[in-house]
């Protein structure tokens, strides 16, 4: 078992899946000769050739639309949106075509399409490069939304996404590409979609998080442990499908809950998690649920990024507030 960063794990998974299934094709901006703007697709063009790894024009709608035709012809496209904010230029294809294909044709066609895209803040990128739009896509029926928080999960969840018969939006945290590193199983490795992971055990309060916020939540849990608090961290891994059983188990075990996300407050997925808790296990709560989020403003310039993106200090403060309630 090798120690890899998240980017290396994604690259390894793509190599494995393309070697396993000749129907898997990769397309996107700079994914071929360059190997991807972050090098996630490095080596694929040289190994599998131009028929399976295709550089596309700077037109996200064309990339997504091409994937629809390829999927209907029996191929398994893995497309890269260079940054999630750019996918707004392809919403008519993602929401209007990719997510609806199986339902529209009553199962005659499905769209086994994986849409990979980096997202999230903390790296001082320009406008539209850091936006956390996961709730927008989670609100599109027919589309799965998966967000790994570890390198091992990045490899295993991506393989499961590529093998899924329906479309999956696979969101990769920009800060995690080279900042998250852990042991990754060699060879074939699958992590099932829709199964949350307990990243830290605890019984006093649970922090529910996804993507890079999981790392911050774990640091907060470790810090609070020195103060005598037992803090569980639940990594959702996917928003669609959502692991209701894991959420219920965590809430019933701890009674106090903090939900954290990078996205703005209003209509973010944290609100969906809290609504689910109220519906499924309200009477297990010992205090109101607290949420930590970005703010209801456009994503700021780099100078203000540290104020906008939830950090360990804000999560820790929320946990202390819930524990004191």
């Amino acid at each position: 078992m090798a120690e890899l960063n998240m980017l290396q794990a994604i690259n390894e998974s793509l190599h494995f899946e393309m070697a396993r299934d000749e129907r898997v094709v990769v397309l996107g901006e700079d994914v071929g000769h360059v190997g991807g703007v972050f090098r996630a697709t490095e080596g694929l063009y040289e190994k599998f050739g131009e028929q399976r790894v295709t550089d596309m024009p700077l037109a996200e709608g064309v990339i997504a639309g091409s994937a629809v035709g390829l999927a209907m012809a029996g191929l398994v496209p893995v497309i890269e949106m260079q940054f999630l904010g750019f996918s707004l230029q392809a919403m008519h294809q993602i929401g209007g075509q990719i997510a609806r294909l199986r339902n529209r044709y009553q199962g005659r066609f499905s769209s086994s399409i994986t849409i990979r895209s980096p997202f999230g803040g903390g790296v001082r990128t320009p406008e539209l490069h850091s936006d956390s739009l996961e709730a927008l896509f989670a609100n599109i029926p027919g589309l799965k939304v998966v967000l790994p928080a570890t390198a091992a999960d990045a490899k295993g969840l991506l393989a499961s996404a590529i093998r899924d018969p329906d479309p999956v939006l696979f969101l990769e945290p920009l800060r995690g590409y080279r900042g998250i590193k852990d042991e990754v199983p060699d060879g074939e490795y699958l992590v099932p979609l829709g199964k949350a992971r307990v990243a830290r055990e605890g019984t006093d309060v649970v922090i529910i998080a996804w993507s890079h916020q999981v790392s911050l939540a774990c640091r907060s849990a470790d810090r609070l442990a020195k103060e005598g608090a037992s803090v569980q961290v639940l990594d959702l891994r996917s928003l669609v499908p959502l692991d209701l059983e894991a959420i219920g188990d965590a809430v019933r075990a701890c009674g106090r809950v903090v939900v954290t996300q990078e996205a703005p407050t209003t209509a973010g997925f944290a609100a969906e998690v809290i609504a689910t808790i109220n519906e499924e296990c309200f009477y297990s709560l010992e205090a109101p649920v607290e949420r930590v989020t970005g703010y209801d403003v456009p994503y700021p310039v780099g100078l203000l990024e540290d104020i906008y993106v939830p950090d360990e200090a804000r999560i820790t403060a929320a946990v202390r507030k819930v524990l004191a309630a």
Side-chain angles (χ1 to χ4, degrees):
M1 189 176 293
E3 185 172 275
L4 304 177
N5 64 34
M6 186 174 282
L7 201 56
Q8 292 168 323
I10 289 167
N11 181 262
E12 187 170 296
S13 190
L14 289 171
H15 272 273
F16 190 93
E17 290 304 307
M18 291 193 74
R20 182 191 62 82
D21 186 349
E22 63 180 12
R23 297 175 303 152
V24 178
V25 295
V26 170
L27 41 157
E29 297 160 13
D30 297 324
V31 298
H33 292 279
V34 174
V37 67
F38 295 102
R39 305 296 183 266
T41 56
E42 192 167 45
L44 296 179
Y45 181 84
E46 291 78 6
K47 186 172 183 180
F48 299 103
E50 62 182 6
Q51 295 297 315
R52 297 183 62 194
V53 184
T54 306
D55 283 321
M56 296 292 286
L58 191 64
E60 285 75 17
V62 172
I63 297 170
S66 299
V68 175
L70 292 168
M72 291 182 74
L75 296 178
V76 181
V78 180
I79 66 175
E80 178 178 301
M81 292 288 161
Q82 211 163 61
F83 293 91
L84 186 60
F86 298 175
S87 66
L88 293 172
Q89 307 303 320
M91 287 301 284
H92 62 303
Q93 293 292 349
I94 298 173
Q97 303 298 330
I98 290 176
R100 293 171 177 263
L101 211 59
R102 179 183 289 278
N103 185 65
R104 179 177 297 152
Y105 291 100
Q106 299 178 0
R108 185 177 166 209
F109 293 105
S110 63
S111 50
S112 182
I113 298 170
T114 301
I115 306 170
R116 293 184 40 251
S117 188
F119 83 114
V123 291
R124 306 290 189 266
T125 56
E127 186 180 19
L128 289 174
H129 289 64
S130 298
D131 298 75
S132 294
L133 305 175
E134 64 270 26
L136 193 64
F137 291 97
N139 200 232
I140 298 176
L143 186 66
K144 296 183 174 75
V145 181
V146 177
L147 310 92
T150 68
D153 272 3
K155 178 177 178 178
L157 288 170
L158 179 57
S160 294
I162 293 171
R163 298 183 193 191
D164 197 279
D166 291 307
V168 178
L169 178 65
F170 190 83
L171 300 181
E172 303 160 2
L174 268 171
R175 276 183 290 178
Y177 268 163
R178 292 183 173 83
I180 290 176
K181 182 180 285 189
D182 47 88
E183 290 190 336
V184 178
D186 300 321
E188 185 174 46
Y189 179 58
L190 295 167
V191 176
L193 306 184
K195 292 293 182 185
R197 174 181 70 99
V198 176
R200 286 287 189 282
E201 297 285 353
T203 56
D204 293 337
V205 58
V206 57
I207 306 173
I208 299 177
W210 50 93
S211 193
H212 194 267
Q213 287 291 301
V214 174
S215 295
L216 301 178
C218 288
R219 286 182 219 164
S220 176
D222 295 341
R223 181 174 171 181
L224 289 159
K226 296 174 183 174
E227 301 174 11
S230 177
V231 181
Q232 183 182 141
V233 176
L234 184 67
D235 172 9
L236 290 184
R237 282 178 161 163
S238 70
L239 307 187
V240 182
L242 185 62
D243 192 343
L244 301 180
E245 183 178 359
I247 292 174
D249 289 345
V251 173
R252 282 186 283 273
C254 299
R256 299 172 191 272
V257 184
V258 171
V259 186
T260 180
Q261 65 176 30
E262 277 196 36
T265 306
T266 301
F269 200 80
E272 175 65 25
V273 173
I274 295 168
T276 299
I277 291 170
N278 287 336
E279 291 169 354
E280 301 289 332
C281 39
F282 176 78
Y283 293 105
S284 296
L285 290 173
E286 296 178 23
V289 179
E290 190 73 13
R291 60 179 162 171
V292 183
T293 72
Y295 299 106
D296 286 333
V297 296
Y299 197 89
V301 296
L303 190 66
L304 300 174
E305 200 171 33
D306 290 342
I307 299 172
Y308 177 88
V309 178
D311 58 11
E312 180 186 332
R314 286 179 60 192
I315 296 170
T316 302
V319 172
R320 288 183 178 134
K321 181 179 176 181
V322 168
L323 286 171

